[in-house]
Amino acid sequence: TRWLAQARPARVLWPWENMPWERDLVRRARALGIPTVGYLHTPFGPHHILISAHANADGAASLPDAIVCTGAAPRDALIAFGHERERLIVGGSLRAVVFQPLRRDARGPVFFGLPNIAPIAREMVAAAEALAAKGWPVQVRRHPMMPPGEVPVPARLLTDRPLTQQDGLSAVVYAMSSIGLEATGGGLPVVRFRSESMFAQIAVLPDDRDVPATNAAGLEPVLKNLAAAAPFDAGRYFAVPDLAFWDRLVVDPIG
């Protein structure tokens, strides 16, 4: 609040998730006549009720003047969550997202994409080791934001090659990261890993792209009965960014 009053920025832009502090930021900025722009930086699933317009007791009074979405699908989902279409803009994303089918090999490795949450990542590494001990080919990739030493991964299982550089995978196991959307968008079978130690295992895939979910104990039977996902246009979720639009966004009037 003090910063807004002292700096009086031309506008405020930030990665928007409708957290309580963000709602207060909007109220304070609006009282000072400062425009606000929130960037919904990632697609979301049916459990993300926090970003619903109905979660705000004062409605639009604590919502940014404009909300920029990564693609048309999250924009439409926000509309279903009670947001006004006029407030929403598709701005695209610089995130490296798969826009082409990925190669599936039924005998290829099971790819574990670890989340940036250490307790869940440790559970997934243990599950990967248990599968490998039974003869399953397994590859484990650390989350790019996870410090290498925080969650040890056996060297024989570790890979630094992302999905787009894999020769052929039989399935992808993920938790709490966008790799699930990228993998199912590329046509690979996908499983959402359900932690035994943490409750925060919400479905982060959109409604129309949800996949089987299981804990470590149920992982092997689920993997044996997975079907390949139908590829889809990932551009509906992560559109190619219009950089000229972003240039205008920081200088042009809003609304």
Side-chain angles (χ1 to χ4, degrees):
T1 301
R2 290 193 300 270
W3 174 79
L4 285 171
Q6 293 169 7
R8 292 294 180 114
R11 67 191 59 192
V12 181
L13 299 87
W14 74 99
W16 176 80
E17 296 180 359
N18 206 27
M19 298 286 186
W21 70 264
E22 298 175 58
R23 302 175 198 179
D24 188 61
L25 171 66
V26 170
R27 297 185 193 106
R28 305 285 185 177
R30 191 161 287 147
L32 295 170
I34 300 170
T36 53
V37 180
Y39 179 47
L40 183 60
H41 54 98
T42 182
F44 55 90
H47 297 165
H48 284 79
I49 59 174
L50 182 68
I51 63 174
S52 168
H54 305 301
N56 296 38
D58 53 357
S62 53
L63 291 173
D65 296 305
I67 299 173
V68 182
C69 306
T70 59
R75 177 203 60 198
D76 293 346
L78 278 184
I79 293 171
F81 267 10
H83 289 269
E84 300 171 348
R85 179 181 291 272
E86 295 73 23
R87 192 184 302 272
L88 308 176
I89 308 167
V90 174
S93 173
L94 285 172
R95 183 188 294 256
V97 180
V98 177
F99 287 92
Q100 74 275 358
L102 297 167
R103 182 172 175 268
R104 186 194 182 194
D105 181 351
R107 296 184 179 182
V110 178
F111 185 95
F112 283 72
L114 302 185
N116 188 27
I117 303 174
I120 302 175
R122 293 189 189 100
E123 286 188 60
M124 291 179 67
V125 171
E129 289 187 271
L131 275 182
K134 295 180 179 180
W136 287 74
V138 171
Q139 290 190 353
V140 179
R141 187 168 191 260
R142 293 190 181 99
H143 192 282
M145 294 178 64
M146 177 74 72
E150 188 163 350
V151 177
V153 179
R156 70 183 187 282
L157 304 182
L158 185 63
T159 180
D160 60 358
R161 297 167 62 194
L163 288 179
T164 51
Q165 296 177 18
Q166 294 292 328
D167 295 329
L169 299 171
S170 60
V172 172
V173 180
Y174 86 102
M176 300 293 291
S177 71
S178 64
I179 196 172
L181 180 63
E182 296 174 28
T184 187
L188 293 176
V190 177
V191 178
R192 177 164 61 90
F193 186 85
R194 183 175 291 150
S195 169
E196 290 292 320
S197 64
M198 296 185 68
F199 179 73
Q201 291 299 287
I202 59 177
V204 297
L205 289 179
D207 287 338
D208 59 342
R209 303 304 304 183
D210 207 9
V211 296
T214 184
N215 58 12
L219 186 56
E220 187 173 18
V222 169
L223 287 171
K224 288 179 177 178
N225 293 284
L226 274 182
F232 67 99
D233 180 12
R236 276 188 46 77
Y237 298 89
F238 293 104
V240 176
D242 179 352
L243 298 183
F245 157 77
W246 283 97
D247 287 342
R248 294 192 303 271
L249 187 66
V250 300
V251 295
D252 289 351
I254 296 173

